[in-house]
Amino acid sequence: MDRKKILEEGLLEKYLLDELSAEERQQVGMAIDNDKGLKKQFELLEEDFEKMALENAIDPPTRVKMRLIEQLQGSNVKTMPKTWLYAAASLALLFLLSSFWMFNRWKSAELNFESLQNQTTVLQERLNALEENYLLTNQRLKTINGPQTIPLILHGNELVPNSRAVAYVNHENKMVVVNAQGLPELPENNTYQMWSDVDGEMINMGLLPTDQELITLKYIDKAESLNITIEPAGGNDHPTVEKLIAYVTL
């Protein structure tokens, strides 16, 4: 068994906690014996466990300690065999390892719960976004299908032949929705922009991305025509007349 697998899967800790199968324990034990780096890390892990045991040890009350000394001094108690000392130490170490194992399991459960909370938050945000998109799309469809809505087709000229955009104008609700997917895709440094002609003045209505089915634009009162031009990416504050590609009168 290689070092990488042992370290990534925490097999040193499981080896110390006796959580491995007999075959895995034998493989990890051989790896520790043959790899000085692993052996040193395992020894450091043992030292950390011992330090944790000492740091978490509880001193007995003073009166208990004094009473035990009096009883030992007033009797012929023999020295406790080392076997019992080893047994007591083993039990203490086992308790410590069990506590460490439980602590790791608790931390793992806490991390999993936090991850689930984050996933729930992300899903809720996506659901809210979908709901907003649905409401917006539903509103646009109602506008398009309303009896007061006028559909206007803007055919492309020689700059973009065989192309078209459809504008849905509702003067009652003062709304303009445009489907620009019939226009050819432009390079990244260009974009389509729509303008309203009011008494000879071109007023910006907004950009026309071709990757969206319906785009809501600014409604302009008393517009005499709708015009589409090709502008630099991000739009322009005035229309580029020589790049007028489509228009329709109202």
Side-chain angles (χ1 to χ4, degrees):
M1 188 176 295
D2 57 33
R3 173 203 290 261
K4 183 178 179 182
K5 176 179 176 64
I6 292 174
L7 294 178
E8 288 181 351
E9 298 184 7
L11 297 183
L12 287 180
E13 291 84 353
K14 294 182 179 180
Y15 180 81
L16 187 57
L17 295 171
D18 197 19
E19 292 184 348
L20 300 175
S21 64
E23 182 180 356
E24 290 177 328
R25 185 171 183 81
Q26 182 181 4
Q27 293 177 358
V28 175
M30 292 177 61
I32 293 174
D33 292 337
N34 296 327
D35 190 317
K36 292 182 179 180
L38 278 179
K39 186 173 183 181
K40 180 65 176 178
Q41 190 161 345
F42 181 72
E43 291 173 350
L44 291 174
L45 187 61
E46 285 184 313
E47 292 177 5
D48 288 340
F49 279 9
E50 291 176 3
K51 289 179 182 178
M52 288 176 61
L54 292 174
E55 291 173 357
N56 291 279
I58 301 175
D59 293 331
T62 304
R63 63 178 182 275
V64 175
K65 183 178 180 181
M66 296 301 296
R67 187 176 299 172
L68 179 60
I69 293 175
E70 291 175 359
Q71 291 179 357
L72 291 175
Q73 290 176 345
S75 63
N76 295 324
V77 179
K78 295 181 180 181
T79 304
M80 183 180 293
K82 289 185 177 181
T83 304
W84 290 99
L85 291 176
Y86 291 149
S90 299
L91 289 174
L93 179 61
L94 180 60
F95 174 76
L96 174 63
L97 296 179
S98 299
S99 300
F100 183 73
W101 179 80
M102 291 294 294
F103 175 77
N104 283 339
R105 289 297 176 90
W106 173 73
K107 291 298 291 183
S108 177
E110 187 178 40
L111 291 174
N112 289 336
F113 178 71
E114 184 177 353
S115 176
L116 287 174
Q117 282 187 316
N118 293 336
Q119 292 178 15
T120 301
T121 301
V122 172
L123 289 175
Q124 185 62 48
E125 291 175 352
R126 291 180 179 176
L127 180 62
N128 292 339
L130 288 174
E131 185 176 2
E132 291 178 2
N133 290 336
Y134 169 77
L135 293 175
L136 180 59
T137 301
N138 190 46
Q139 182 183 10
R140 289 170 174 171
L141 290 176
K142 286 183 178 179
T143 300
I144 291 174
N145 296 321
Q148 304 300 325
T149 300
I150 303 172
L152 302 169
I153 301 177
L154 292 88
H155 293 281
N157 58 17
E158 64 277 2
L159 294 178
V160 285
N162 302 320
S163 63
R164 70 174 191 172
V166 182
Y168 300 90
V169 181
N170 190 311
H171 296 291
E172 182 177 348
N173 296 333
K174 294 189 175 183
M175 180 175 289
V176 178
V177 178
V178 180
N179 183 345
Q181 290 187 321
L183 299 176
E185 186 175 351
L186 293 174
E188 293 183 357
N189 59 339
N190 287 118
T191 186
Y192 293 109
Q193 191 167 351
M194 181 169 276
W195 311 82
S196 285
D197 182 1
V198 180
D199 296 330
E201 179 184 0
M202 289 290 211
I203 301 176
N204 176 31
M205 297 176 63
L207 304 181
L208 291 175
T210 56
D211 58 349
Q212 298 180 28
E213 185 175 358
L214 296 174
I215 306 106
T216 300
L217 298 182
K218 182 180 179 181
Y219 176 88
I220 306 297
D221 283 320
K222 300 180 180 179
E224 298 172 2
S225 66
L226 302 179
N227 307 266
I228 300 176
T229 61
I230 298 176
E231 304 294 343
N236 209 343
D237 56 359
H238 59 278
T240 305
V241 179
E242 60 270 21
K243 291 189 177 181
L244 176 69
I245 60 104
Y247 76 95
V248 64
T249 56
L250 299 178

